[in-house]
Amino acid sequence: MTQQITIQSPDDWHLHFRDGSMLNETVAATARCFRRAIVMPNLVPPITNAAMALEYKNRILNAVPDASQFDPLMTLYLTNLTSSQTVLDAKAAGIPAFKYYPAGATTNSDAAVKEIEVLYPVLQTMSDEGVMLLIHGEVTDSHIDIFDREQVFIETILSKIVTSFPDLKVVLEHITTKQAVDFVSQASDNVAATITPQHLLLNRNDLLVGGVRPHNYCLPVLKRNTHQEALRQVVASGNPRFFLGTDSAPHEKNKKENACGCAGCYSAWSALELYAQVFEELGALEKLEGFASHYGADFYGLPRNDTTVTLIKQEWQVPREIVLPNGHPIVPFFAGETLQWKLG
Ligand code: DOR
Ligand code: ZN
């Protein structure tokens, strides 16, 4: 049995660092193994222009234990006020992507886009300039069942975007359904997807059977096991258009264990180890490196990392709680669970 695996250093192509003193926790947790991360802009207020993103990037860099070892890749939040000039400014500032949240889809998405068609001229500029579009792929219409929201988004909105802008590079983030796997598999090489550890490890039974488990609640919500299986099969296949994005999204314990609990799993301290566990279960450990360290960089047109990380087969327990710099506790994803792989 494999006891150790060394791979080129991985990157996290989708996560939430938040801001303020929280950065001392979240940035350190990610930089322990990832060399780069695509940083989501859903702060309050959201990061909507290049100047805000560069300031935010500096705050992140100030929280990195060794700044030569970690490069935050910034994103801008698409709103109805985003213009083609915003895109040009972003490109000039080295910002690789915009994030499209349908209004009301998730945490801090009130400012987001109501009618994406209004922004088609902006998407055209993104396409022309080689700036990427990252998508939270869920409709928000109240009459659409929460478990169908990703599928309906793909059918009604994503398919139109992809057809209208064949040269635009699009990442469907944190996919959760077989429909998303099929759509991305059949789309052009300009369409890719990220997959989280929770959507590979869990299904909706893990959210609801035996009591509500708020720490497994994220958006898009966990789906039935047949969807989980489709995600697992596609990563095991080594398809390069599916790559690692943890969606690590911290919320303080009292905001998760709450009558109206926040969506998001704080997985930064265990994500790579959990992905390794999944690939081992699938008998596909040799595919971990492509998923974690190659395909995302290739899709973003960035060089692969020139360092390595080693995972060792060794049991360890994820802490039950972590205390944030502000003194408040947070419950990490898989808290108290024993993991099989440990970062060396
Ligand atoms: O579960 C989630 N949490 N999904 C998202 O899309 C946003 C994220 C957050 O910011 O907490
Ligand atoms: Zn996210």
Side-chain angles (χ1 to χ4, degrees):
M1 216 200 329
T2 315
Q3 293 301 320
Q4 186 169 311
I5 163 171
T6 296
I7 60 172
Q8 270 175 285
S9 297
D11 304 299
D12 187 344
W13 299 101
H14 178 125
L15 58 57
H16 303 260
F17 276 147
R18 313 301 189 205
D19 208 349
S21 66
M22 182 87 114
L23 293 175
N24 293 319
E25 161 61 32
T26 55
V27 176
T30 289
R32 86 196 162 96
C33 72
F34 295 109
R35 291 292 305 271
R36 293 171 290 204
I38 283 278
V39 181
M40 287 299 118
N42 62 330
L43 305 183
V44 184
I47 303 292
T48 52
N49 60 53
M52 290 175 87
L54 294 181
E55 283 166 21
Y56 183 32
K57 181 174 182 170
N58 274 335
R59 296 197 293 280
I60 293 167
L61 284 172
N62 284 334
V64 184
D66 176 355
S68 70
Q69 293 301 303
F70 184 72
D71 191 11
L73 304 171
M74 309 311 290
T75 61
L76 295 189
Y77 195 114
L78 205 60
T79 77
N80 286 321
L81 298 177
T82 308
S83 68
S84 289
Q85 188 61 47
T86 325
V87 176
L88 298 175
D89 293 346
K91 173 144 187 195
I95 294 166
F98 280 67
K99 178 66 186 282
Y100 165 32
Y101 287 104
T106 190
T107 310
N108 304 335
S109 65
D110 305 348
V113 176
K114 297 200 173 61
E115 298 288 340
I116 188 68
E117 286 82 359
V118 175
L119 287 171
Y120 270 24
V122 174
L123 300 193
Q124 185 60 53
T125 308
M126 290 173 61
S127 175
D128 296 342
E129 298 295 326
V131 174
M132 295 170 58
L133 181 65
L134 317 181
I135 299 181
H136 183 113
E138 289 191 288
V139 294
T140 54
D141 315 59
S142 55
H143 68 283
I144 306 288
D145 189 276
I146 190 167
F147 292 104
D148 298 334
R149 288 179 173 200
E150 183 173 283
Q151 177 185 351
V152 175
F153 182 90
I154 292 168
E155 290 164 0
T156 60
I157 299 174
L158 182 59
S159 54
K160 282 190 201 149
I161 293 175
V162 165
T163 312
S164 305
F165 303 99
D167 297 326
L168 177 64
K169 280 200 157 182
V170 172
V171 183
L172 185 57
E173 302 286 358
H174 42 53
I175 61 167
T176 63
T177 58
K178 179 173 188 311
Q179 286 83 1
V181 170
D182 291 346
F183 182 86
V184 173
S185 301
Q186 288 155 22
S188 84
D189 287 348
N190 287 331
V191 182
T194 55
I195 307 186
T196 73
Q198 63 265 28
H199 293 106
L200 291 168
L201 285 158
L202 307 176
N203 60 62
R204 64 195 193 182
N205 279 4
D206 300 295
L207 181 63
L208 296 169
V209 171
V212 177
R213 288 159 205 267
H215 300 292
N216 292 343
Y217 174 58
C218 64
L219 288 169
V221 73
L222 295 169
K223 304 299 191 298
R224 64 164 65 236
N225 60 357
T226 47
H227 294 292
Q228 179 195 4
E229 196 50 38
L231 300 176
R232 289 169 71 95
Q233 290 311 319
V234 84
V235 300
S237 78
N239 185 327
R241 282 194 290 115
F242 297 84
F243 47 83
L244 185 155
T246 63
D247 200 14
S248 184
H251 294 275
E252 290 178 5
K253 180 178 177 179
N254 68 331
K255 304 245 171 62
K256 294 284 294 173
E257 299 179 10
N258 189 294
C260 185
C262 290
C265 302
Y266 183 47
S267 61
W269 285 110
S270 59
L272 186 63
E273 296 85 341
L274 289 169
Y275 284 117
Q277 192 162 315
V278 169
F279 278 81
E280 184 181 43
E281 284 165 13
L282 292 165
L285 254 186
E286 78 286 357
K287 298 277 173 41
L288 175 67
E289 184 174 37
F291 176 80
S293 315
H294 295 166
Y295 307 152
D298 297 351
F299 190 80
Y300 274 77
L302 295 170
R304 295 176 181 179
N305 291 317
D306 55 8
T307 49
T308 60
V309 295
T310 297
L311 287 156
I312 300 161
K313 198 74 190 281
Q314 184 187 317
E315 289 192 349
W316 65 285
Q317 203 187 31
V318 179
R320 289 184 189 281
E321 274 186 15
I322 292 164
V323 179
L324 292 171
N326 66 6
H328 295 179
I330 183 169
V331 178
F333 185 56
F334 261 51
E337 300 281 335
T338 301
L339 304 195
Q340 305 303 315
W341 290 94
K342 196 167 191 315
L343 196 66

